């Protein structure tokens, strides 16, 4: 069964450093998303991406964040200058709203745990 | 904003018992989804119920939706230790963000 994959599974970085989190969405999906979950808290939406541009973003997704689809398969989240409060689990998801049965069923990757020291 | 709120926050039961979790939301929806998250792991999609559906089954899962009360319930029958996880409801339009609730932490004791 096709699945969303994410790399790395765990990233440790120093405050102020740039990190890039990588995701490979399901191949025929059209919408891509990033969410994050701070330890012990609920999952929060960051950004959605469709047709090579951001379609929606939350107030969390400030100028420190950017997303890119550098090729036909990868979808990346870049944090330019990490802060301690960026420590969280970051989830990538994809969906195919055009699929008859999907109705916005989003498929999530296993997550990348980001630890900022 | 559409926001799911689950109750109870935590539920502990014995294997074989049924577990019921509830979710309430604030605005109109066109569908509601339930996800499971094992500790420190990713989110697994369990079931989606559309706004024009009242009940849906998938294996040992039964989901109900009451749009007049803006609430949904997830019932897991004949629970197993492997069902121990956090369960979240989420709402969102097609191609749009999902808004997750706080989740219910279910513990099934062997």
């Amino acid at each position: 069964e096709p699945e969303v994959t994410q790399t790395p599974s765990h990233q440790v970085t120093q405050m102020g450093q740039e990190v890039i989190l990588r995701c490979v969405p399901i191949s025929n999906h059209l919408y891509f998303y990033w969410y994050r979950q701070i330890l012990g808290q609920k999952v929060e939406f960051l950004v959605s991406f469709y047709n090579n541009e951001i379609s929606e973003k939350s107030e969390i997704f400030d100028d420190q964040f950017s997303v890119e689809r550098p090729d036909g398969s990868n979808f990346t989240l870049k944090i330019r200058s990490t802060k301690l409060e960026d420590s969280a689990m970051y989830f990538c998801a994809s969906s195919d709203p055009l699929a008859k049965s999907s109705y916005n069923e989003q498929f999530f990757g296993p997550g990348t745990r980001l630890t900022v020291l | 904003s559409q926001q799911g709120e689950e109750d109870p926050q935590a539920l502990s039961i014995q294997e074989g018992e049924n577990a019921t979790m509830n979710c309430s939301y604030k605005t109109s929806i066109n569908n509601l989804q339930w996800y499971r998250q094992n500790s420190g792991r990713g989110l697994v999609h369990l079931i989606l119920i559309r706004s024009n559906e009242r009940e849906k089954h998938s294996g040992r899962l039964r989901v109900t939706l009451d749009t007049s009360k803006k609430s949904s319930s997830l019932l897991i029958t004949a629970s197993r230790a492997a069902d121990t996880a956090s369960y979240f409801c989420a709402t969102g339009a097609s191609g749009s963000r999902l808004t997750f609730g706080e989740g219910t932490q279910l513990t099934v004791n062997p």
Side-chain angles (χ1 to χ4, degrees):
Chain A
E1 191 174 328
E3 57 183 18
V4 177
T5 59
Q6 291 185 242
T7 54
S9 56
H10 192 187
Q11 174 91 47
V12 181
T13 189
Q14 294 291 327
M15 192 169 57
Q17 295 295 305
E18 173 183 288
V19 293
I20 297 176
L21 310 182
R22 291 182 166 78
C23 167
V24 179
I26 295 173
S27 62
N28 62 337
H29 283 186
L30 303 177
Y31 281 86
F32 315 116
Y33 314 82
W34 283 101
Y35 294 81
R36 79 171 185 193
Q37 184 181 34
I38 295 170
L39 187 64
Q41 297 186 22
K42 63 181 179 180
V43 177
E44 301 173 291
F45 169 79
L46 292 177
V47 66
S48 60
F49 192 85
Y50 172 72
N51 201 25
N52 284 319
E53 61 183 26
I54 291 173
S55 52
E56 191 179 2
K57 60 182 181 179
S58 72
E59 57 279 0
I60 301 169
F61 194 87
D62 61 22
D63 292 343
Q64 292 297 314
F65 292 89
S66 62
V67 288
E68 195 178 26
R69 186 151 165 85
D71 52 44
S73 59
N74 290 283
F75 179 52
T76 62
L77 173 69
K78 182 192 291 185
I79 309 175
R80 265 181 265 284
S81 178
T82 50
K83 306 173 191 141
L84 295 176
E85 55 264 36
D86 293 329
S87 293
M89 186 78 108
Y90 288 80
F91 294 105
C92 173
S94 67
S95 70
D96 179 16
L98 299 182
K100 215 171 181 183
S101 61
S102 75
Y103 225 76
N104 201 30
E105 177 180 343
Q106 295 185 17
F107 293 83
F108 283 76
T112 292
R113 181 170 297 284
L114 176 66
T115 302
V116 182
L117 303 175
Chain B
S1 63
Q2 298 173 338
Q3 186 166 30
E5 297 179 357
E6 290 91 343
D7 77 86
Q9 288 187 329
L11 180 62
S12 182
I13 59 174
Q14 295 300 121
E15 219 167 16
E17 293 180 340
N18 295 341
T20 299
M21 288 158 273
N22 303 298
C23 166
S24 60
Y25 55 91
K26 295 178 181 175
T27 61
S28 297
I29 59 169
N30 54 22
N31 69 76
L32 185 143
Q33 307 179 50
W34 285 90
Y35 286 82
R36 184 186 74 221
Q37 183 181 35
N38 288 71
S39 181
R41 307 289 293 276
L43 292 154
V44 175
H45 186 270
L46 294 176
I47 196 165
L48 180 151
I49 186 165
R50 300 183 187 186
S51 59
N52 61 354
E53 297 176 314
R54 291 296 166 259
E55 190 171 308
K56 200 163 183 180
H57 297 254
S58 177
R60 293 184 297 112
L61 305 180
R62 174 178 164 246
V63 168
T64 62
L65 180 65
D66 187 335
T67 52
S68 66
K69 295 180 180 176
K70 292 188 168 58
S71 68
S72 173
S73 68
L74 171 67
L75 168 68
I76 304 174
T77 60
S79 63
R80 305 167 183 166
D83 294 328
T84 295
S86 292
Y87 292 82
F88 297 90
C89 67
T91 57
S94 182
S96 184
R97 68 170 75 186
L98 287 178
T99 301
F100 285 84
E102 302 285 343
T104 293
Q105 172 60 51
L106 173 67
T107 303
V108 181
N109 301 299

